[in-house]
Amino acid sequence: MAKLLLLSLLVILSVALTINAANYMVGDSSGWDISSNLDTWPQDKAFKVGDTLVFMYSSSETVSEVTRDNYDKCNTNNVLKRYSNGNTTITLSRPGDWFFISGNRLYCLGGMKLRAHVEDDQAAFSPIASPEAQPGPTSSLPNPVQPSSKSNKPSTVPTSSAEFSYGRRRSYVVAFLGFMASLLWMIHV
């Protein structure tokens, strides 16, 4: 009985950690488009491992994941991955920099490219520091940029018939409900 309860608790915690991610609509309401200000879009976001980037774009466009060198040069020929379905969701599975460019080199040269810095989420497992001990926001971008006029919150905009509804705050609710369901199951078994 105790082994079953422990197993149930481990399953619930793993689900809670998996759901503890944010979904970001790249370019906000404009999507992955030449009109989006993709230079400033990621500026005030804190991407974490497990978060997802949602690229919404027309059927004539593509998204390419590339190396830093190919990002800097807008090299559309030597890509790591190419997406073309118009609705691409990419899970940020590792810390570090991720680079994306338009498959149209002219669009890339015009600014249709994205650098997303993913933070290692070790801070989630360490004690919370006092506000005065936390450093202020920094930018690793070489040029000063103007703030975006678009919303910079994780997206809850539907990307198809399914709506994104998971976020960092909701994982506790899911974990609690899962735990309660496990307890009820244990009582009836």
Side-chain angles (χ1 to χ4, degrees):
M1 185 77 153
K3 288 182 182 180
L4 202 50
L5 183 60
L6 181 60
L7 179 63
S8 296
L9 186 60
L10 288 174
V11 168
I12 292 166
L13 288 175
S14 67
V15 169
L17 291 175
T18 303
I19 296 174
N20 191 18
N23 300 297
Y24 294 94
M25 173 82 69
V26 175
D28 296 318
S29 60
S30 297
W32 180 249
D33 187 79
I34 191 68
S35 67
S36 296
N37 190 344
L38 298 170
D39 241 2
T40 61
W41 180 80
Q43 186 176 16
D44 61 348
K45 292 171 182 56
F47 300 115
K48 305 280 187 208
V49 172
D51 287 351
T52 58
L53 296 178
V54 180
F55 291 85
M56 297 290 293
Y57 48 97
S58 70
S59 60
S60 63
E61 185 54 62
T62 61
V63 176
S64 297
E65 183 181 344
V66 294
T67 62
R68 180 181 192 109
D69 188 50
N70 289 331
Y71 171 86
D72 291 338
K73 296 176 181 177
C74 285
N75 182 347
T76 59
N77 296 321
N78 189 14
V79 302
L80 301 172
K81 293 180 185 172
R82 185 179 319 267
Y83 305 94
S84 60
N85 66 359
N87 181 2
T88 301
T89 301
I90 298 172
T91 301
L92 302 171
S93 58
R94 61 168 171 75
D97 289 329
W98 291 64
F99 300 97
F100 302 95
I101 62 172
S102 168
N104 180 328
R105 186 163 194 265
L106 291 177
Y107 284 2
C108 179
L109 290 170
M112 197 168 160
K113 58 186 187 174
L114 174 69
R115 174 189 161 265
H117 179 73
V118 179
E119 299 172 6
D120 194 359
D121 205 9
Q122 294 299 324
F125 300 104
S126 63
I128 298 174
S130 63
E132 57 272 7
Q134 294 177 349
T138 59
S139 174
S140 59
L141 299 174
N143 298 326
V145 289
Q146 299 299 319
S148 173
S149 62
K150 298 176 182 158
S151 169
N152 290 313
K153 295 179 181 163
S155 174
T156 57
V157 175
T159 59
S160 64
S161 60
E163 179 175 328
F164 285 106
S165 61
Y166 298 119
R168 290 188 175 101
R169 286 177 262 161
R170 295 183 189 200
S171 64
Y172 298 113
V173 173
V174 171
F176 175 74
L177 292 174
F179 180 71
M180 294 305 291
S182 294
L183 284 178
L184 289 172
W185 179 76
M186 296 295 288
I187 292 169
H188 287 79
V189 170

